[in-house]
Amino acid sequence: MRSFLFLNLLLVLYSCDTLQDVNEIKGPCTIVLVDGSTVVSNGNIEIMDKTGAITYRDDAGKIWSLFKDDYQSYTCN
């Protein structure tokens, strides 16, 4: 039973630590993809420090993620 509680505590602490690795940037943002096309996020975007992955919501509220290999750059207003 103790090992189960310790494992749960460890998972909670790890989860809290990883949340600090996310930077939220106020939008709207334009993301330039590797093929030269662009994606516009009218809201904020979140960027993971460790991976460089960008997460954003489209106009319908659907969540999308772009990994570092998927985009060239981004700009936000």
Side-chain angles (χ1 to χ4, degrees), residues 18-59:
T18 58
L19 291 177
Q20 295 173 355
D21 295 336
V22 176
N23 291 316
E24 186 172 2
I25 300 175
K26 293 183 181 182
C29 300
T30 301
I31 306 164
V32 180
L33 304 178
V34 292
D35 67 1
S37 61
T38 59
V39 173
V40 176
S41 166
N42 290 324
N44 300 343
I45 63 172
E46 294 180 349
I47 302 176
M48 296 288 297
D49 287 338
K50 291 181 182 179
T51 64
I54 295 175
T55 303
Y56 68 96
R57 290 186 183 267
D58 64 13
D59 290 337

Side-chain angles (χ1 to χ4, degrees), residues 2-28:
R2 275 191 185 177
S3 61
F4 178 74
L5 292 175
F6 178 74
L7 180 59
N8 283 338
L9 178 61
L10 188 62
L11 288 172
V12 168
L13 292 175
Y14 177 75
S15 298
C16 292
D17 184 45
T18 58
L19 291 177
Q20 295 173 355
D21 295 336
V22 176
N23 291 316
E24 186 172 2
I25 300 175
K26 293 183 181 182

